[in-house]
Amino acid sequence: MAEQHKATKSPHVLLFPFPSQGHINPLIQFAKRLISKGVKTTLITTIYISKTSPSSNTSITVEPISDGFDDGGYMSAGSDEAYLEKFQQVGSKSLADLIRKLDSEGNPVDAIVYDSFVTWALDVAMEFGITGGCFFTQACAVNNIYYHAYKGLVDIPPVATVSVPELPLLQPWETPSFVHNPGPYPSWAHIVFNQFSNIHQARWVFSNTFYKLEEEVIEWMRKMWPLMVVGPTVPSMYLDKRLEDDQDYDMSLLKSNHIECMKWLNNKPKGSVVYVSFGSYGELGPEQMEEVALGLNESGVDFLWVVRETEKEKLPKGFVANGLVVSWCRQLEVLAHDAVGCFVTHCGFNSTLETISLGVPVVAMPQWTDQPTNGKCLEEIWGVGVRVKANEKGIVTRGNLVSCVKEIMEGERGVLARKNASKWRELAIQAVSEGGSSDEDINEFVSQLKA
């Protein structure tokens, strides 16, 4: 029966991201690549997200499941622990119900590609005899460190420099925050280390990176798991341009000030603007917010700064920006704009891949989770920017920020960073173009589905 189904229908893959913006975007983009190669895809999201942030892409079928918080989502859970526990409990049942529903409609599932944060999805798939693939949304370098911590080969927290295969020595503060300071967020620390709990049962392991970017670590990981590298998962029109309708991620949990941003940027000289964003989850303390605000004003450069509505109350009293402050923007369009000459970033991996893919140099200002390691890679391994150092209180002072911004915008480090950023952009385009390393790995996955 299964053979007959495969012979007469396109293979059907469920894609199951963790329900946050930085995890949804990569799997949406992976879905578009699979659809372009004749694979039917269904994106799983939560009932709350499907109601509040529906996808604008009609080619991707979206099926909502319950995370136990259908009316308020993650923010209504009360705590990280409460959300993650109920998500697993309710989500497992809801996912099983969806698989049965699709089967009853004559649309059986051939494989599930699940976010590495939801390992329990593989357990559900296996109950139905469905093969599964684990999808890492973070850098291979970061997952390398997490794996060694999970196996007890890296101390938590580290007492000295950290050594893992195919990476330079890391100072403790250059490891992910869940390694060097796991105390404040024990539930998330458990999630990131537990990604490897059943990975040996996955038929495929996917990573949102590209081969040339992390070649040595990828080769090491391939000795461990059946790794397929399928990134960068950036909309095609910013890279290879093979998917002509692929210009955005098509599902945003935040509303952007797009017209205002573009109008403002259009009136600025080429390479003159510093774009500043700390992501969809980043939260700066009031003291840090003040240092950034005053530093940007003192820098004398034009700046576009994303400050989410929930963060605006932390701006210094009486602060009047010498640049444009918006609550959200379409980051890819901003990075692609000729006026932008530098990105002050929290170093989330999606932002990291976007700035590399668009060839924009960075001032790295990592905050937590994987960001400290991404910041080290951006500066020391990929050579596309500088890291701004924090003081003994963990605060980046305005003077340090101004110095780094001027170094990238006006100094020799900036010249080299722009040159390296352009090189990585070309390699990213090659990876996803026809016959490139990521394209070939996606083709291999599709051929295995159809076999």
Side-chain angles (χ1 to χ4, degrees):
M1 190 73 175
E3 290 180 4
Q4 184 180 3
H5 157 67
K6 287 189 176 183
T8 57
K9 291 187 177 181
S10 299
H12 181 201
V13 177
L14 289 186
L15 301 178
F16 187 9
F18 185 83
S20 69
Q21 190 75 69
H23 290 250
I24 292 170
N25 287 354
L27 278 161
I28 284 179
Q29 292 307 123
F30 187 43
K32 293 174 186 176
R33 294 287 179 178
L34 293 177
I35 290 168
S36 74
K37 295 177 185 294
V39 176
K40 177 177 175 55
T41 68
T42 298
L43 182 79
I44 300 174
T45 187
T46 64
I47 291 171
Y48 174 74
I49 288 176
S50 71
K51 290 190 299 187
T52 57
S53 307
S55 172
S56 60
N57 190 303
T58 56
S59 67
I60 301 175
T61 303
V62 178
E63 288 281 359
I65 68 169
S66 179
D67 58 359
F69 300 95
D70 298 346
D71 295 324
Y74 169 79
M75 297 304 293
S76 67
S79 69
D80 298 336
E81 292 84 355
Y83 181 79
L84 294 169
E85 183 178 346
K86 182 162 275 194
F87 183 30
Q88 178 169 354
Q89 177 189 352
V90 177
S92 294
K93 181 180 182 303
S94 192
L95 176 59
D97 290 343
L98 173 61
I99 292 170
R100 293 188 192 96
K101 169 180 169 285
L102 292 169
D103 190 58
S104 70
E105 294 172 348
N107 193 15
V109 176
D110 296 299
I112 295 180
V113 176
Y114 61 93
D115 193 299
S116 61
F117 279 21
V118 286
T119 53
W120 47 265
L122 180 58
D123 300 330
V124 175
M126 290 169 61
E127 291 176 14
F128 290 87
I130 298 171
T131 52
C134 172
F135 192 105
F136 287 110
T137 58
Q138 297 181 331
C140 287
V142 168
N143 291 316
N144 183 356
I145 298 166
Y146 283 151
Y147 175 74
H148 283 85
Y150 171 74
K151 299 295 285 186
L153 301 172
V154 168
D155 292 328
I156 305 174
V159 295
T161 54
V162 173
S163 175
V164 296
E166 308 305 340
L167 286 178
L169 280 178
L170 302 163
Q171 296 300 322
W173 56 271
E174 293 176 323
T175 64
S177 64
F178 301 127
V179 175
H180 71 251
N181 185 26
Y185 304 99
S187 294
W188 291 114
H190 174 75
I191 287 287
V192 299
F193 298 135
N194 198 54
Q195 294 176 99
F196 307 97
S197 61
N198 60 359
I199 194 170
H200 59 284
Q201 295 176 299
R203 182 178 175 187
W204 306 280
V205 175
F206 301 96
S207 181
N208 177 26
T209 186
F210 58 99
Y211 184 77
K212 288 294 185 181
L213 191 67
E214 299 191 86
E215 184 172 349
E216 293 83 4
V217 181
I218 288 168
E219 286 297 336
W220 176 82
M221 289 180 72
R222 282 181 168 161
K223 296 173 184 174
M224 305 282 293
W225 307 299
L227 180 66
M228 292 183 166
V229 180
V230 297
T233 55
V234 168
S236 175
M237 291 309 291
Y238 292 94
L239 291 172
D240 60 311
K241 297 180 170 56
R242 287 193 291 159
L243 310 183
E244 293 184 2
D245 60 344
D246 183 21
Q247 302 183 42
D248 199 2
Y249 291 113
D250 303 319
M251 183 181 287
S252 179
L253 309 189
L254 296 165
K255 187 177 180 180
S256 73
N257 304 71
H258 176 62
I259 295 174
E260 182 183 9
C261 288
M262 290 298 109
K263 185 177 179 181
W264 186 83
L265 285 171
N266 288 341
N267 290 318
K268 300 300 176 185
K270 182 176 181 179
S272 66
V273 173
V274 174
Y275 168 58
V276 186
S277 177
F278 298 101
S280 55
Y281 274 96
E283 295 182 1
L284 304 185
E287 182 180 357
Q288 183 63 87
M289 186 73 86
E290 179 175 357
E291 291 298 309
V292 172
L294 299 181
L296 290 173
N297 270 356
E298 290 175 14
S299 71
V301 300
D302 288 325
F303 63 86
L304 169 59
W305 185 14
V306 173
V307 181
R308 301 190 318 277
E309 290 295 336
T310 53
E311 293 287 286
K312 285 188 175 178
E313 62 183 22
K314 299 177 187 176
L315 288 168
K317 288 184 178 178
F319 173 68
V320 179
N322 292 339
L324 178 64
V325 177
V326 297
S327 58
W328 196 244
C329 71
R330 295 181 186 173
Q331 182 160 287
L332 279 168
E333 290 194 43
V334 170
L335 290 172
H337 200 286
D338 283 347
V340 173
C342 171
F343 182 14
V344 177
T345 173
H346 66 308
C347 307
F349 197 53
N350 283 334
S351 290
T352 294
L353 286 176
E354 287 173 1
T355 200
I356 284 172
S357 296
L358 275 297
V360 179
V362 303
V363 171
M365 189 173 156
Q367 302 298 303
W368 72 311
T369 183
D370 60 327
Q371 298 160 19
T373 307
N374 295 339
K376 181 180 179 69
C377 292
L378 282 163
E379 180 184 46
E380 294 188 9
I381 299 177
W382 303 325
V384 296
V386 296
R387 281 179 291 176
V388 56
K389 301 298 189 292
N391 63 18
E392 64 280 355
K393 293 168 58 181
I395 300 294
V396 169
T397 64
R398 69 194 75 171
N400 280 352
L401 179 59
V402 170
S403 175
C404 287
V405 166
K406 286 188 174 296
E407 184 63 28
I408 292 298
M409 293 294 282
E410 304 169 6
E412 291 183 10
R413 288 284 292 276
V415 174
L416 180 59
R418 276 186 287 279
K419 181 179 178 181
N420 286 333
S422 295
K423 175 194 76 172
W424 289 119
R425 169 167 167 72
E426 290 305 312
L427 290 171
I429 292 171
Q430 289 175 23
V432 296
S433 296
E434 186 172 1
S437 55
S438 295
D439 186 57
E440 285 299 293
D441 275 5
I442 295 173
N443 285 339
E444 177 60 23
F445 172 55
V446 172
S447 70
Q448 291 180 20
L449 285 174
K450 292 181 177 180

